[in-house]
Amino acid sequence: MEILDGKATSAAIKADLKVKVNEMVNAGHKAPHLVAILVGENPASKAYVGNKIKFCQEVGYRSTLLTFNADITEDQLHKEIHKLNNDPEVDGYIVQLPLPKHISEDKILEIVNPEKDVDGFHPVNVGKMVSGLPSYLPATPYGITKIMEHYGISAEGKFVVILGRSHIVGRPMSILLSQSRPYGNGTVVVCHSRTKNLEELTRKADILVAAIGIPQFVKAEMVKDGAVIIDVGINRIDDTTRTRGWRLVGDVDFDAVSEKASYITPVPGGVGPMTIAGLMLNCYHAAQKRV
Ligand code: NAD
């Protein structure tokens, strides 16, 4: 079994981006500029945004963090987004989710300028992705294709089972891995909360992607010998042996499943760092459009 090391793969992407940003700046262009919008005090969101800003600093991007109180009105937030849409200094921006309940995430998604939508969530970018046209790819599935590329794992001709059908992970992952594209060409089945006989399908999977948000859901008996396991889940479970009282686990029972897998992503240190790498690659592509 080999660990699919997201930290190391993301570090390799970081090093490559650093060189490219240097070249961009040496050629007289401004470095890519990412803006992150953070609303409220959600600690996980703060940590995610902090990691994104840190990555920007490490590769030489310009970055701006815009923070707003949780009681910002929907109208005010829309105005801030329109400002970013029209600011030529901003290459790309993200609105960290989740947003407070009084703000519609769907409405926000629709007013984001698709050209600056480095999260790849705008319907225009989703439509382009589905049609196989160049577009910003959603960061997590994009990052997963990059770690597959790094380790030379192709879905071509493989039976791929994806657990979860969310718009940000499961659904786009199923599209990318079934498309005729490098590391794609898989035969893909998407499972969800209404799927019957789920284990019959997972046991046949050459590549299993778990993105459901249930701690350690995938057990060893659900997995074929030699399968490639991509664990997207990030779940907190109680752990009294840790001083903070909890630890992070994925949607896969790592210890048992890793005995059967050929490759497996750990949690943390697997898909998480690749998601940030995917976002940063999108931001670089956004900046390239103006150079
Ligand atoms: P979600 O929470 O929006 O949806 C969960 C999906 O799982 C749904 O499609 C549902 O139908 C399916 N599901 C629920 N119970 C199921 C069951 N018993 N059997 C089969 N399918 C079932 O999903 P999400 O936003 O894609 O998040 C999934 C997990 O991935 C979460 O733990 C989340 O924190 C994590 N996540 C991690 C990253 C990362 O960078 N590593 C990025 C995004 C999400």
Side-chain angles (χ1 to χ4, degrees):
M1 181 275 298
E2 191 173 347
I3 295 282
L4 296 172
D5 187 337
K7 263 194 199 165
T9 311
S10 166
I13 291 172
K14 204 180 273 180
D16 185 46
L17 280 174
K18 204 171 170 177
V19 172
K20 287 183 168 145
V21 172
N22 242 323
E23 285 169 2
M24 196 181 254
V25 172
N26 287 340
H29 305 292
K30 287 186 175 171
H33 183 195
L34 177 77
V35 176
I37 292 185
L38 177 64
V39 181
E41 298 291 328
N42 180 325
S45 294
K46 275 187 173 175
Y48 291 142
V49 167
N51 286 337
K52 291 167 189 174
I53 298 289
K54 188 166 161 259
F55 195 121
C56 285
Q57 289 162 349
E58 286 167 355
V59 290
Y61 288 3
R62 294 173 290 158
S63 61
T64 304
L65 173 59
L66 299 177
T67 55
F68 300 103
N69 292 333
D71 61 358
I72 186 173
T73 66
E74 195 169 51
D75 260 10
Q76 281 170 320
L77 190 57
H78 284 198
K79 279 187 189 131
E80 294 295 336
I81 287 172
H82 285 303
K83 273 194 232 163
L84 297 177
N85 284 345
N86 296 316
D87 185 345
E89 287 294 318
V90 176
D91 292 311
Y93 65 89
I94 54 158
V95 182
Q96 185 66 45
L97 301 178
L99 291 169
K101 289 213 165 58
H102 65 281
I103 299 174
S104 158
E105 292 182 355
D106 287 345
K107 274 197 218 160
I108 295 282
L109 259 186
E110 292 203 13
I111 63 163
V112 170
N113 178 349
E115 292 292 319
K116 299 188 178 189
D117 167 40
V118 285
D119 258 338
F121 295 159
H122 189 282
V124 165
N125 285 318
V126 175
K128 284 184 177 175
M129 174 193 65
V130 172
S131 311
L133 297 169
S135 66
Y136 300 120
L137 301 177
T140 302
Y142 188 19
I144 292 171
T145 63
K146 286 304 214 183
I147 203 168
M148 289 172 68
E149 182 184 327
H150 189 83
Y151 285 88
I153 297 167
S154 173
E156 179 149 350
K158 303 275 172 57
F159 186 57
V160 181
V161 173
I162 296 175
L163 304 182
R165 58 178 163 187
S166 74
H167 294 304
I168 61 167
V169 186
R171 179 73 55 198
M173 195 72 250
S174 72
I175 291 160
L176 295 178
L177 293 186
S178 59
Q179 265 172 347
S180 173
R181 51 179 290 137
Y183 303 92
N185 288 307
T187 303
V188 178
V189 167
V190 180
C191 298
H192 46 77
S193 51
R194 309 284 178 92
T195 299
K196 289 188 176 144
N197 306 327
L198 183 127
E199 293 193 26
E200 270 176 37
L201 293 163
T202 59
R203 274 198 294 266
K204 290 184 184 146
D206 302 306
I207 299 177
L208 180 63
V209 181
I212 55 178
I214 303 178
Q216 300 167 319
F217 176 88
V218 176
K219 307 290 182 202
E221 58 272 21
M222 295 167 70
V223 170
K224 179 168 126 173
D225 276 325
V228 174
I229 310 291
I230 311 280
D231 189 355
V232 184
I234 301 179
N235 312 289
R236 262 188 200 196
I237 59 166
D238 293 339
D239 185 345
T240 49
T241 67
R242 307 281 173 108
T243 40
R244 62 188 176 189
W246 56 268
R247 72 188 155 101
L248 288 181
V249 295
D251 290 348
V252 174
D253 181 0
F254 182 88
D255 290 342
V257 171
S258 58
E259 306 249 314
K260 291 178 91 176
S262 57
Y263 294 92
I264 186 166
T265 58
V267 176
V271 174
M274 293 311 298
T275 294
I276 301 187
L279 170 70
M280 295 300 155
L281 285 166
N282 279 339
C283 191
Y284 178 73
H285 301 319
Q288 264 186 320
K289 290 184 182 175
R290 64 166 160 77
V291 303

